[in-house]
Amino acid sequence: MEDMVPELEDLEERGYFKKQEIKQIVKKRTHFEYLLKRPAAVKMDFLRYAEYETKLESLRAHRKEVLGLQGKTTLADYSIVKRTHLIYERATRKFRGDLRVWLKWLHFCKSSGSTRQISRVLTKALQLHPAASGLWSYAAAWEFEHNSNAAAARTLMQRGLRMCKGSRQLWLEYFRMELMYAHKLRKRRHILGLDALPGVTAAPQADLDSLSDAQAATEEQTEAQSGEDAINAVLTGAIAKVVYKTGIEAVPDSIDFRQSFLEILSQFKFEGIESLQQSILDSIQRDFGDTEEAWDLKARAASSDQASTSEAVGVYEDALAAVPTARMFSMYATYLQDRLSQSSPPQPGKLSKGQAALVQQQLQLCKRAYQAGLAEEALLLRWPELAVQAGDEEGALEGAAAACQAMPTSSAAWQQRLALHAQHATVQACETSDDSGEAAMAKAARQLERLAVQAVAACEPAEAQPVWLLAFEKLTGLGSSSKKLTQALLHQLTGMRQGPTRGGMGLVAGAALQVTRQMQSLEAAQRLCDQMLAIPSPGGSFFQAAISMELAAMPSTPQSISRVQRLFEAGVAAHGCVDHELWLQYASFEQKHLKGARNVYWRAVKALAQPDDFVAMYSGRGT
């Protein structure tokens, strides 16, 4: 602590901090030092201490700029940064195995401009964590980008690969670095007027058949000694090609790994890139030629610009002939959709010529996949959407029907079909005269209800909830009372177990009550409610809907009080062990209408498995 006296005095003399602030700094540092001296020091104490010093340095730098302080550098200008480094050094001695502490220190070195310190920190960190591929990559990037030392960066990469065998990320970063190096050399030669190299070609592969040969060919001192072929090889990315070749020998069985090389390659544009890309594609075709991914990469590589879409389509057609699978169809369709997405957002019925062609290609592909029995769910669901974009309403209905036929238990397919039929019926009714329009709407409602009953019967019960809800919504929009659908719901609920406290089929039962109340009458809804009370509880959401319906009707029908009480009793009998919200509502109702809230409170405390939340909320209501 005594060592900081000179720096604090200098900070005060230079005007960075006032005397009271200096006292606060001393107090804070003393507190942190006591924490660090504990027998069982905590890592977060070191990090908080370093963070405090970092913020203190930021404040000092800000005040220097605002106050316009100038002059020669003194102890106040670097003492805080130096102290922060000491804190991190103490932390890494205590927690040398914690990579996060080392990374924090590296980040501080970079942000504070401690360029000399960062090399020392990296050396220590790599000695303790030789298997951390990210550290090797960081060290190589530092040498390459900050120190402009490509040879040292390359050496670090190669050492890292020897220590972290099979590290994909390290191979990819090495590949990227070599491409950046080639790009950097080309720019330098251009500035020096040495870029007039017509018909530049790479050196024969035998000249650069290993990483050590590649490194030797790129040493600056060899540029004058090596032949023109070696220099041209470096400029056209031959070293990166050697890195790729060696990388796939280390990781031979991953096509995703090779795809990552292509993604990096797409970020560079200079002579030799196309040749390197073709080499990668050839290796993928050689080793993974019978896979869908290989064909997909080959096709996408053929469509580097808009004019080459036909070439990619040709590759995909060859792929379907060689690998006729559902996944191949989906990849083909995804490519076409990606091309469509690259244009302006398509408007239904207002497509440009190019957009219309892409939509039609996708539609034909969907039909082909469906007819071959090789259509995945996403592709079948895309069919109606494409038809809508093309302005073909009948085609959309055809696609939705095909999706339901191919996937009879798919909730998403039935929802899409119901929505399209409801939209079609609404449009048709609006286009006809008043009398015939009402008749058309009624007819469409009956057809949609039959389709809805078919849909909920086909779907798995666990996935049918959104289909039920959508069917009730669309039928209500068409003015239907949904009687047949409600009867189908009662039939299904009769054979089911008790539903969950919230959501599930209880939500559907609540929607059926609301539709019956809205489209028929309160009495009809009450009769439906009584029927549902006679079977296992659909769920807590049903009771919420039924109670809300009765409470809304209470001003005009006082007898609803007894009905509400009966509903509360049935609800707590079914879900009283977990549903504290229902108990709260019951207590509020009793207090307002029957003055029996205290009795409900004690029943709830005994019934609930975890009554603490209920007790807290009940007390908060002041009841």
Side-chain angles (χ1 to χ4, degrees), residues 41 63 72 170 192 235 281 309 339 345 372 379 391 442 459 552 598:
R63 288 184 176 179
K72 65 178 183 179
L170 204 53
L192 297 175
L235 296 175
L281 290 172
T309 303
R339 301 302 298 214
L379 186 60
C459 291
R598 200 64 184 171

Side-chain angles (χ1 to χ4, degrees), residues 116 293 479:
R116 294 183 179 179
E293 292 86 350

Side-chain angles (χ1 to χ4, degrees), residues 218-236:
T218 58
E219 299 289 348
E220 291 193 17
Q221 62 267 29
T222 65
E223 287 195 8
Q225 303 170 2
S226 302
E228 193 69 14
D229 285 343
I231 298 176
N232 293 347
V234 175
L235 296 175
T236 53

Side-chain angles (χ1 to χ4, degrees), residues 47 88 99-109:
L47 297 180
Y88 276 117
L99 188 59
R100 181 189 170 195
V101 179
W102 290 99
L103 293 176
K104 285 273 190 181
W105 193 2
L106 287 170
H107 177 73
F108 173 73
C109 290

